Amino acid sequence: MTERRIDLNADLGEGSEHEAAIMPFVTSANIACGGHAGDRENMRESLRLAAHHGVAAGAHPGFPDREGFGRRELHFPPAEVTAFVREQIEALKAVAARQGVRLAHVKPHGMLYNMAVKDAVLAAAIARAAADSGVPLYYGLAGQHSVMLLEARLAGLRPIGEGFADRGYAPDGSLWPRGQAGALLEQEAAVAQGVALALQGQTVAVSGEVISVPAQTLCLHGDGAEAATLAQALRAALEAAGVGVAAPD
């Protein structure tokens, strides 16, 4: 019998004081690279921690919007999206090369990610930048209504379907908007949802419907004070449920 296995990733490199406490419990780190957050010092430290703990490092490009932390809806021509995403990936790639680290994946951040779930043109522009940078894996929202993984595949990347342990879901499988009730899950609910996604590939939307989320990787956000305890609790719960936790091959 094949062991159930899932990757556990966190959005890091954003200046959080809790990063060192989170890193031992995840298997992939999505490192901000100068768009919504992050600078060379943050990148170096995140890459150092990832290498120390044997965590796969990836780029986490977002809208060039530090004031809004990349969570505001912005609109750029596709060529400009490809250009700023490529620039961010290459910035992290250069720092990683000096530290002897090879980037394993790309995962867009925040509103750039959320918009790309349903916008094929935007999704293609982001995937093109990832392919141009030669990073092989691409993390995008898992589910039948997400175009991110299709565009990644068309760009020659290996798509990795992502589920979210600590976020609420809309009935169509998209993430419930931040600021609305049910968007952010408390630790107990997040752990339960993460285990359900790993074992059954499904969860319950905020409306009460059971939805399919065929996740190969689970995300938890690294910018809250509770992030480290959530990472530890979720990792322990997955392993207790017989799920192997490891980065994608």
Side-chain angles (χ1 to χ4, degrees), residues 19-203:
E19 185 161 325
I22 296 167
M23 196 73 79
F25 301 106
V26 300
T27 48
S28 291
N30 319 309
I31 300 173
C33 34
H36 68 286
D39 55 27
R40 289 185 181 178
E41 183 178 348
N42 293 140
M43 293 182 215
R44 280 195 296 269
E45 178 60 12
S46 296
L47 289 163
R48 184 193 69 78
L49 285 169
H52 177 73
H53 291 287
V55 171
H60 194 41
F63 279 129
D65 175 30
R66 287 177 174 265
E67 183 179 350
F69 198 65
R71 289 175 174 163
R72 298 186 294 191
E73 185 170 323
L74 302 176
H75 298 275
F76 294 86
E80 289 187 27
V81 173
T82 299
F84 72 66
V85 171
R86 185 193 299 119
E87 180 180 4
Q88 291 177 44
I89 298 170
E90 291 296 334
L92 181 64
K93 190 176 174 183
V95 176
R98 287 193 288 273
Q99 294 185 233
V101 175
R102 184 172 181 271
L103 298 186
H105 66 276
V106 171
K107 175 194 164 178
H109 165 80
M111 189 56 71
L112 182 65
Y113 184 109
N114 291 338
M115 291 170 66
V117 169
K118 300 178 180 179
D119 185 335
V121 174
L122 179 62
I126 302 166
R128 188 175 307 116
D132 288 348
S133 296
V135 182
L137 306 182
Y138 187 91
Y139 289 15
L141 188 69
Q144 61 178 338
H145 297 290
S146 171
V147 300
M148 295 181 78
L149 301 184
L150 172 61
E151 294 300 331
R153 188 176 291 108
L154 292 173
L157 301 165
R158 179 181 160 199
I160 303 294
E162 182 174 41
F164 287 77
D166 55 5
R167 291 294 310 275
Y169 278 87
D172 66 356
S174 62
L175 298 179
W176 197 240
R178 283 178 178 269
Q180 295 193 25
L184 300 175
L185 304 187
E186 298 294 334
Q187 179 170 305
E188 184 177 353
V191 170
Q193 177 162 280
V195 172
L197 290 173
L199 290 177
Q200 291 126 23
Q202 62 184 32
T203 191

Side-chain angles (χ1 to χ4, degrees), residues 215-240:
Q216 299 164 275
T217 184
L218 292 177
C219 176
L220 58 89
H221 291 87
D223 57 341
E226 72 290 346
T229 57
L230 173 57
Q232 183 176 12
L234 180 54
R235 177 72 179 261
L238 289 167
E239 292 176 343

